Amino acid sequence: MIVGLVIACEVAFWVLLAAGLAFRYALRMPRTGLALLLCEPLLEVVLFVATAIDLKNGARPDWRHGLAAVYIGFTVGLGHSTVKWVDARVAHRFAGGPPPVKPPGYGTARAVHEWKVAGRWILAAGVALVLLQGAVWYVGDSGDTGSLRAWQQSMLWLTGINVVIAASYTLFPKRAPERAGDRERAGRR
């Protein structure tokens, strides 16, 4: 039941996103579109409540409950940026909006961008960790929480990987390629 609900929430996320943007841009009803987009967090509330009820009714905690916690965490950490990313592209493509801003390619600006991206992933993993720990406490000593602990381990690995990636852009910044005119001027000096 939980896996089906996670899948249904993911499908509903994209359906609400498409419907919200369709109302916003194609039908020129921005308030209705915004209302649909604001309904998306309700999906996570439904999933959270259903998972808690499932555990309360004596379900053995397993990977499915961990998946629900991770899904909620990822939606909290990455959902808003995903909506903004899609909205910018739809606005540009169908509503004459400005072209989407590309992330910086080089130097400190790129490092800052990578830390922001890492921050969203770390937030997602952090929310998942908190929910997983809450589930462990909720189940207590009476249940096997090994699968929930395994999900926590995965979230810690994910956090570490994102920190390493962002740190690599800080410690080894990518440099802009030299242009032909810059090389000529440097050669004249």
Side-chain angles (χ1 to χ4, degrees), residues 43-95:
L43 300 170
E44 283 66 49
V45 172
V46 168
L47 181 59
F48 178 76
V49 169
T51 303
I53 290 171
D54 192 43
L55 289 172
K56 183 168 178 44
N57 289 338
R60 190 177 140 263
D62 60 12
W63 67 271
R64 294 170 191 93
H65 299 96
L67 176 65
V70 169
Y71 176 80
I72 292 170
F74 277 51
T75 303
V76 168
L78 303 170
H80 180 70
S81 62
T82 302
V83 170
K84 281 179 57 176
W85 186 88
V86 173
D87 183 49
R89 277 137 187 87
V90 170
H92 175 64
R93 177 80 169 99
F94 298 108

Side-chain angles (χ1 to χ4, degrees), residues 11 14 21 24 32 36 41 49 52-53 65 98 102 117 127 142 146 162 169 178 183 185:
V11 169
W14 290 103
L21 294 175
R24 189 171 183 175
T32 304
L36 287 169
V49 169
I53 290 171
H65 299 96
K102 293 183 179 181
V117 170
V127 170
S142 62
N162 276 280
Y169 278 93
E178 282 190 32
R183 280 181 280 190
R185 275 180 255 150

Side-chain angles (χ1 to χ4, degrees), residues 89-185:
R89 277 137 187 87
V90 170
H92 175 64
R93 177 80 169 99
F94 298 108
V101 177
K102 293 183 179 181
Y106 310 103
T108 304
R110 180 59 186 226
V112 168
H113 169 76
E114 291 299 328
W115 279 108
K116 287 179 182 178
V117 170
R120 288 191 290 270
W121 281 91
I122 292 167
L123 173 63
V127 170
L129 280 166
V130 168
L131 291 174
L132 289 163
Q133 187 59 44
V136 167
W137 289 335
Y138 189 66
V139 171
D141 295 333
S142 62
D144 176 24
T145 58
S147 64
L148 300 175
R149 296 283 186 200
W151 277 108
Q152 284 181 317
Q153 185 74 30
S154 297
M155 294 303 97
L156 291 173
W157 274 104
L158 180 72
T159 299
I161 289 168
N162 276 280
V163 167
V164 167
I165 290 170
S168 71
Y169 278 93
T170 302
L171 298 173
F172 310 106
K174 190 174 180 183
R175 300 184 197 282
E178 282 190 32
R179 291 177 280 166
D182 292 342
R183 280 181 280 190
E184 288 175 16
R185 275 180 255 150

